[in-house]
Amino acid sequence: MKRIVLFAVLLTTTFGYAQSIVTYEKPPVFSECNSEDVNQLKSCFNFTLNTFIYENFKTPQIVLDESYKGEVQILFEVSREGEFKVIYSDAIYEELKAESQRVFDSLPKIKPATYNGNPTFVQYSISIAIPLTKPVRKIDSPEEINQLTKKDSLNATLSDEFDVLVEGLKPYEKLEYSSELNVPFTHSYYARFDAEMNAIGTNSHTAAKPFVYSDVARYYDIKAEKESLAKDTDSWLGRKLFNEHLVEVQGEDYWFTVDPILDLQVGKDSEADFSSTYNNTRGIYIQAGLGKRFNLTASVYESQGRFADYYNRYAESLKAYGPDPAIIPGRGIAKRFKDNSYDYPIAEAYLSYSPADFLNIQFGHGKNFIGDGYRSLLQSDVASPYPFLKLNATFWKLKYTSTWMWLKDVRDEVVVDDAFLTKYMANHYLSWNVSERLNLGLFESVMWADTNGRGFDVNYLNPIIFFRAIEFQTGQGAGNAILGLSSKYKWNNKVNLYGQFVLDEFSLADVKAGEKSWKNKFGFQVGAKYFNAFNVDDLLIQAEYNQVRPYTYSHNTQVLNYGHFNQPMAHLWGANFREFVLIGRYNYKRWFGDAKMIIGQRGLDYNTTDDSVSYGGDIYRDYNDRNANTGIEIGQGNKTNSFMAELQAGYLLNPETNLKMFANIIYRDFNPDAVNASTVRSGSVWFSLGFRTDLFNWYNDF
């Protein structure tokens, strides 16, 4: 077991320090080696260290009495100050480990190793053979220069195992920031480079998210940003905590990083009966590159949590078929944990391959987003992760995105043989930079279900065909097609205007007649971003208005609604709403602050005089159950006015992993006209603080 532990320590340390081991120009130098030729310094270092150990090591009496033959394994470091530090030792006798520690503590301070002329630390592993044998100096031949010397006597040299591990490794060059991996999509982090991506004259396409690092690198140097935030720390723990990935390795044709994922927070909800809220997420995050065109990433989360009362009620309203009590919004199915908490494991991963400079292909399990705003009426990331295949083609002033998704309807009424119903979604998005200021985007999407043995319809596999035409050929009831339009105008380098329009169904005759027909199922978004607002660097102000008419995204075949895991695939509120969003984001070095205010009006479907009637807010309901054919207005049904304000401030602990320390406070005022156990008036304050590896968006504004 001890050898396994030692190997794990060696492996982890090797990965974290490979760059230091193979890139120093000069090894540490004992005073006895000052006159040596530079090519013989390694040999002299080994011999001098071996000799010191031989002359000072006192074999413990118990070892002599039992005639023990074996070895002591030691992992040690020579610091930037030239001091020896034992990191780990392993031996069958505690007395041998204690004596090894004593000997290393008595080693003199020496000249440290150097890299680019500057002092640096190095690490070595050695094996001390018991009983001791006097070392013999061997002068390196030309073929052995720049290689680690090997001794047959004392064996107190750099371990052969260690040499194999670092052979072929290079200094880690942070290749992820020029790779084909996605920049993890969070609104707060994307705000850091939003201004550069939207400057006049850039040929960027900013609606289809997440962005790929190589696309962002054309306009913003993420690597330089990360390096500028690095702290000046010498210790291994300090570097790993504040500056580096836990494990970072680069070879000739590959690289990878490994990091822990944490979301540890505790808080208090003013309305809750329980004493506190909390979230306890632990996981692992892996990024890798093979060659120049193939990348992959994977993240696995194990989580338990208890949230604000309104959040828990919403999570339980999403309940899937089966015994599990809730779906955590944006994450996945949760089982009961203790009395009033949830356990919700999640795994996300994808492969990214770019066979040519203009084409990127991704296959994985995650989320996608289309739009320049905080919300999206076309496709958002508010639902749980799902399998997807995505093609991004960029050429001239165009970017074309085709995405195919495998979704689930998890309601009791559609389950077959205890299995969730599979449904499919395919969309196309064409982004066109009409000029250096104006961008237009065309969107189409279709949803169909795995009913009557239909499965995945190859008619929708073509990445450039029009879905509406296919829907007519396969039967208008076979799919639910949605069309959309997006736009962005760069007023100047400080102000961007943007918008979206989504069309589910439309009757021009009814519009002319002024009848407010239920058939007019559409929504729109208008917004503006103000970069470096009021001449304050890195201050972003964003204002946005969203409105969607009743019955948009729903269908007369209920499984063809625009949803997944009982959550909308577009706006968080479904349909039948209007809202105004105001956001401020500020960054100063590692400090950050976000403020958000949302004022909205919604028409809820339940707790009205007749709950069997659909008023168009719940996209999972059949629109044939509507309350009327005409006179349809936003807010009909159980009219609800809501107000939400959120403040968050914190400190970025590690720029490489996006680990943050934060405090967050939410005030929510929710006022439906009619109330009962499932729809209640609320005026809650939710305060929380903690640590989070920020890799995805949490939406608390239900």
Side-chain angles (χ1 to χ4, degrees):
M1 180 63 186
K2 290 182 177 179
R3 292 181 180 274
I4 295 175
V5 172
L6 177 61
F7 177 75
V9 172
L10 287 173
L11 186 62
T12 302
T13 309
T14 302
F15 289 161
Y17 287 101
Q19 63 199 70
S20 298
I21 294 170
V22 298
T23 61
Y24 60 78
E25 295 170 341
K26 292 177 62 177
V29 180
F30 284 95
S31 59
E32 295 88 337
C33 303
N34 285 335
S35 60
E36 293 281 344
D37 184 85
V38 66
N39 294 328
Q40 299 298 326
L41 287 178
K42 292 178 183 177
S43 173
C44 185
F45 173 81
N46 289 335
F47 176 74
T48 306
L49 175 61
N50 297 345
T51 301
F52 185 92
I53 294 173
Y54 176 76
E55 293 176 349
N56 291 274
F57 194 97
K58 298 178 180 179
T59 304
Q61 189 61 43
I62 187 173
V63 176
L64 297 174
D65 292 344
E66 298 185 6
S67 301
Y68 171 73
K69 294 182 179 180
E71 60 184 21
V72 183
Q73 296 178 323
I74 300 173
L75 182 67
F76 70 94
E77 173 181 306
V78 182
S79 71
R80 294 185 182 185
E81 291 75 31
E83 298 174 344
F84 286 83
K85 299 178 182 179
V86 173
I87 298 173
Y88 181 83
S89 61
D90 183 35
I92 191 171
Y93 297 98
E94 289 296 325
E95 290 83 354
L96 282 174
K97 292 194 287 185
E99 177 62 14
S100 300
Q101 180 71 56
R102 185 195 67 79
V103 171
F104 271 82
D105 287 344
S106 64
L107 277 161
K109 188 174 181 179
I110 64 176
K111 291 181 181 179
T114 59
Y115 176 67
N116 288 338
N118 298 314
T120 187
F121 76 98
V122 288
Q123 287 190 339
Y124 301 116
S125 80
I126 80 172
S127 297
I128 303 175
I130 304 296
L132 302 177
T133 304
K134 185 175 182 179
V136 177
R137 174 76 186 271
K138 174 185 176 183
I139 303 300
D140 292 343
S141 66
E143 292 78 14
E144 293 174 310
I145 291 175
N146 294 324
Q147 296 180 6
L148 301 176
T149 54
K150 181 178 180 181
K151 301 295 180 183
D152 296 324
S153 52
L154 182 61
N155 284 329
T157 60
L158 299 182
S159 164
D160 291 337
E161 292 178 290
F162 199 72
D163 299 346
V164 172
L165 284 174
V166 303
E167 184 178 354
L169 295 183
K170 295 182 175 182
Y172 184 66
E173 299 172 334
K174 302 182 180 180
L175 295 182
E176 68 261 40
Y177 301 129
S178 58
S179 73
E180 304 305 308
L181 286 176
N182 293 331
V183 184
F185 175 46
T186 66
H187 293 291
S188 59
Y189 183 62
Y190 274 44
R192 284 181 174 264
F193 49 83
D194 213 356
E196 287 79 4
M197 294 287 288
N198 284 286
I200 294 175
T202 58
N203 191 30
S204 62
H205 299 268
T206 58
K209 298 179 176 76
F211 300 149
V212 175
Y213 277 112
S214 60
D215 288 341
V216 177
R218 297 185 177 96
Y219 311 104
Y220 184 80
D221 194 337
I222 294 181
K223 179 181 177 181
E225 176 214 330
K226 304 284 189 182
E227 292 175 344
S228 71
L229 295 174
K231 284 182 173 293
D232 185 12
T233 177
D234 292 335
S235 70
W236 179 88
L237 181 61
R239 289 196 310 276
K240 295 303 175 183
L241 181 60
F242 295 111
N243 295 339
E244 299 176 359
H245 298 289
L246 177 62
V247 175
E248 44 188 31
V249 175
Q250 182 177 332
E252 187 66 33
D253 293 309
Y254 66 90
W255 63 268
F256 67 87
T257 66
V258 182
D259 291 294
I261 296 173
L262 297 174
D263 189 347
L264 309 175
Q265 54 181 290
V266 63
K268 177 65 178 177
D269 174 28
S270 63
E271 286 192 329
D273 294 332
F274 42 80
S275 59
S276 64
T277 65
Y278 74 92
N279 191 66
N280 176 20
T281 294
R282 299 87 57 215
I284 187 170
Y285 182 54
I286 300 171
Q287 301 179 99
L290 300 174
K292 294 181 179 180
R293 297 189 177 275
F294 185 83
N295 298 100
L296 61 91
T297 185
S299 53
V300 180
Y301 303 79
E302 175 59 35
S303 304
Q304 294 82 38
R306 179 175 61 226
F307 309 95
D309 195 49
Y310 81 89
Y311 194 103
N312 295 336
R313 286 198 305 269
Y314 181 70
E316 295 192 6
S317 74
L318 302 177
K319 180 187 182 309
Y321 168 80
D324 299 314
I327 292 177
I328 303 302
R331 305 313 291 149
I333 292 178
K335 62 183 180 181
R336 182 65 67 194
F337 179 71
K338 297 184 177 179
D339 293 334
N340 52 10
S341 301
Y342 309 103
D343 188 312
Y344 58 104
I346 295 293
E348 298 182 70
Y350 65 89
L351 307 175
S352 179
Y353 176 61
S354 294
D357 291 339
F358 66 88
L359 180 64
N360 175 252
I361 304 170
Q362 295 187 9
F363 178 68
H365 190 266
K367 303 182 186 183
N368 296 278
F369 186 98
I370 294 178
D372 286 290
Y374 174 68
R375 308 289 200 188
S376 175
L377 307 185
L378 306 180
Q379 181 180 355
S380 76
D381 61 337
V382 301
S384 303
Y386 45 81
F388 70 89
L389 171 65
K390 181 167 67 173
L391 275 63
N392 276 314
T394 307
F395 53 94
W396 188 51
K397 299 180 179 181
L398 303 175
K399 181 174 182 178
Y400 190 67
T401 302
S402 293
T403 313
W404 296 268
M405 290 149 278
W406 287 256
L407 311 178
K408 294 290 184 180
D409 194 321
V410 298
R411 294 171 296 162
D412 293 10
E413 57 266 36
V414 300
V415 167
V416 177
D417 296 330
D418 293 333
F420 299 144
L421 177 69
T422 300
K423 50 198 277 189
Y424 308 95
M425 179 175 169
N427 63 40
H428 300 153
Y429 180 72
L430 175 64
S431 173
W432 175 30
N433 286 328
V434 181
S435 69
E436 64 177 14
R437 293 177 183 264
L438 177 64
N439 173 273
L440 294 177
L442 301 176
F443 175 83
E444 63 170 347
S445 179
V446 66
M447 183 84 67
W448 73 99
D450 187 9
T451 55
N452 300 320
R454 184 182 183 190
F456 188 91
D457 194 332
V458 295
N459 286 291
Y460 297 115
L461 193 58
N462 192 314
I464 58 175
I465 203 164
F466 292 103
F467 290 147
R468 180 65 77 175
I470 291 296
E471 186 190 16
F472 273 100
Q473 292 182 17
T474 57
Q476 295 188 51
N480 181 13
I482 289 177
L483 301 178
L485 173 69
S486 71
S487 62
K488 179 181 66 179
Y489 184 74
K490 304 172 185 177
W491 186 269
N492 53 42
N493 282 333
K494 298 188 71 172
V495 177
N496 274 194
L497 308 176
Y498 63 88
Q500 288 185 341
F501 179 78
V502 61
L503 178 63
D504 192 356
E505 197 168 345
F506 187 73
S507 173
L508 181 60
D510 290 333
V511 170
K512 290 181 177 179
E515 295 180 339
K516 298 181 181 179
S517 171
W518 74 276
K519 295 180 182 178
N520 293 321
K521 300 187 292 180
F522 62 86
F524 67 88
Q525 173 190 88
V526 291
K529 293 180 180 178
Y530 182 17
F531 305 113
N532 299 318
F534 311 112
N535 295 320
V536 177
D537 290 343
D538 299 317
L539 173 62
L540 170 64
I541 303 295
Q542 182 177 1
E544 181 176 300
Y545 177 80
N546 297 290
Q547 176 176 305
V548 178
R549 279 183 55 78
Y551 308 109
T552 307
Y553 307 118
S554 60
H555 201 268
N556 60 359
T557 304
Q558 292 185 57
V559 295
L560 298 184
N561 57 72
Y562 205 65
H564 163 64
F565 261 70
N566 289 342
Q567 302 156 86
M569 286 294 288
H571 195 288
L572 181 65
W573 291 358
N576 193 9
F577 69 86
R578 54 172 62 92
E579 75 166 348
F580 174 73
V581 182
L582 183 63
I583 297 173
R585 304 188 190 277
Y586 178 67
N587 295 285
Y588 177 73
K589 296 182 179 179
R590 292 192 179 216
W591 296 96
F592 68 91
D594 294 335
K596 180 172 59 180
M597 179 184 70
I598 299 176
I599 303 172
Q601 184 180 82
R602 306 165 63 177
L604 302 181
D605 277 85
Y606 299 98
N607 304 323
T608 58
T609 56
D610 185 359
D611 283 349
S612 65
V613 174
S614 170
Y615 289 92
D618 184 354
I619 67 171
Y620 276 84
R621 300 194 67 177
D622 187 338
Y623 62 55
N624 283 333
D625 295 334
R626 58 187 176 272
N627 63 309
N629 291 329
T630 58
I632 304 301
E633 295 181 338
I634 291 176
Q636 67 176 17
N638 188 3
K639 183 179 290 186
T640 302
N641 295 314
S642 65
F643 173 81
M644 186 170 192
E646 181 175 5
L647 291 173
Q648 183 174 130
Y651 183 77
L652 184 61
L653 289 171
N654 191 328
E656 294 291 340
T657 63
N658 215 22
L659 177 64
K660 297 178 177 179
M661 176 176 59
F662 70 93
N664 192 78
I665 186 168
I666 295 173
Y667 171 71
R668 179 178 182 264
D669 184 53
F670 190 78
N671 284 292
D673 285 347
V675 300
N676 68 9
S678 61
T679 305
V680 301
R681 291 192 178 95
S682 172
S684 62
V685 177
W686 182 16
F687 174 76
S688 57
L689 53 85
F691 300 88
R692 173 185 296 156
T693 305
D694 209 8
L695 299 177
F696 59 88
N697 290 307
W698 278 100
Y699 293 98
N700 301 315
D701 35 34
F702 310 119

